[in-house]
Amino acid sequence: SGVKPSTIHMVSTPQASKAISSRGHHSISYTLSRSQTVVVEYTHDKDTDMFQVGRSTESPIDFVVTDTVSGGQNEDAQITQSTISRFACRIVCDRNEPYTARIFAAGFDSSKNIFLGEKAAKWKNPDGHMDGLTTNGVLVMHPQGGFTEESQPGVWREISVCGDVYTLRETRSAQQRGKLAHILHCIATHIKSCILCMANYSQQRRSFSKLSSWSRLKSHAQLME
């Protein structure tokens, strides 16, 4: 089941942050400095379901995604450094109509915690809530014309830990976020977490040739590497 933000704690030591995040609640820890961390506790949300995606095979991950070997390489070759996060992202779906699905960067680990270190991009929004970006990042793109034979690549955007949509950073590791973009209202969205690519198809768009459209979008995604 899903979770939603609840209590906010300001702590001054790593020990205090660990104590809060180990109470059995989900939480996100934002390390501002060596002496200051903001911990946002999450509580049960009876109106949503949460699904997590990542490279980890631990129980919090619902959909395990692993790296693929580039063309021309031995399929048995060992991938020494993965570009897919162990806890890449989470997708929260409303249980009631219209069954809206939202994507958020980062997933909760086995301790039910998301930890953004001191060097991670993070900030406080005007309404007072904390937000941030992950190292690998989670990008989304809504194809022009949807997933059809005539579809063309759209504009890539980055999703924050709290689900807001931003323009791309100057570099993938930059601490400065992009500009806040309009909320995406998409019936079909291409999701990319570094080399992780998934396609979300609506019920209304299941009749076209997915393979052809997917091949073109995948080729475009590889250009983003």
Side-chain angles (χ1 to χ4, degrees), residues 31-51:
T31 302
L32 305 182
S33 66
R34 293 184 178 179
S35 60
Q36 187 177 31
T37 298
V38 177
V39 180
V40 181
E41 279 193 276
Y42 281 66
T43 187
H44 171 67
D45 183 3
K46 63 181 179 60
D47 296 320
T48 63
D49 285 303
M50 180 174 67
F51 305 91

Side-chain angles (χ1 to χ4, degrees), residues 29-217:
S29 301
Y30 301 86
T31 302
L32 305 182
S33 66
R34 293 184 178 179
S35 60
Q36 187 177 31
T37 298
V38 177
V39 180
V40 181
E41 279 193 276
Y42 281 66
T43 187
H44 171 67
D45 183 3
K46 63 181 179 60
D47 296 320
T48 63
D49 285 303
M50 180 174 67
F51 305 91
Q52 298 206 144
V53 181
R55 177 170 49 88
S56 173
T57 57
E58 297 178 38
S59 57
I61 295 299
D62 300 286
F63 300 99
V64 178
V65 181
T66 57
D67 288 280
T68 56
V69 179
S70 302
Q73 295 187 24
N74 188 337
E75 293 185 358
D76 296 326
Q78 183 178 3
I79 299 174
T80 58
Q81 185 175 1
S82 176
T83 52
I84 299 175
S85 298
R86 295 178 63 244
F87 302 91
C89 63
R90 58 199 193 278
I91 299 173
V92 177
C93 304
D94 288 345
R95 290 181 173 180
N96 302 311
E97 294 184 355
Y99 307 114
T100 301
R102 302 174 180 86
I103 184 170
F104 301 79
F108 293 101
D109 61 19
S110 297
S111 299
K112 299 182 179 180
N113 183 244
I114 293 173
F115 180 81
L116 294 183
E118 190 174 348
K119 294 183 179 180
K122 67 187 78 66
W123 61 89
K124 179 182 289 187
N125 284 312
D127 61 3
H129 82 265
M130 295 294 299
D131 202 353
L133 302 173
T134 58
T135 301
N136 285 353
V138 174
L139 309 184
V140 298
M141 181 265 286
H142 178 49
Q144 298 178 26
F147 281 85
T148 67
E149 291 292 343
E150 293 74 31
S151 64
Q152 296 295 323
V155 179
W156 286 97
R157 300 291 190 218
E158 182 164 16
I159 301 296
S160 72
V161 171
C162 290
D164 286 337
V165 183
Y166 290 88
T167 59
L168 299 186
R169 288 175 275 181
E170 290 188 3
T171 63
R172 299 304 309 132
S173 59
Q175 290 187 303
Q176 182 63 40
R177 69 181 187 272
K179 296 181 179 179
L180 184 65
H182 294 295
I183 300 298
L184 295 178
H185 296 285
C186 303
I187 59 174
T189 301
H190 189 64
I191 305 170
K192 176 173 180 289
S193 177
C194 283
I195 63 169
L196 162 61
C197 297
M198 299 177 291
N200 173 34
Y201 302 99
S202 69
Q203 291 289 339
Q204 294 84 354
R205 296 293 181 108
R206 292 185 182 276
S207 59
F208 61 81
S209 171
K210 299 176 185 177
L211 180 60
S212 177
S213 298
W214 170 251
S215 297
R216 290 199 299 272
L217 289 169

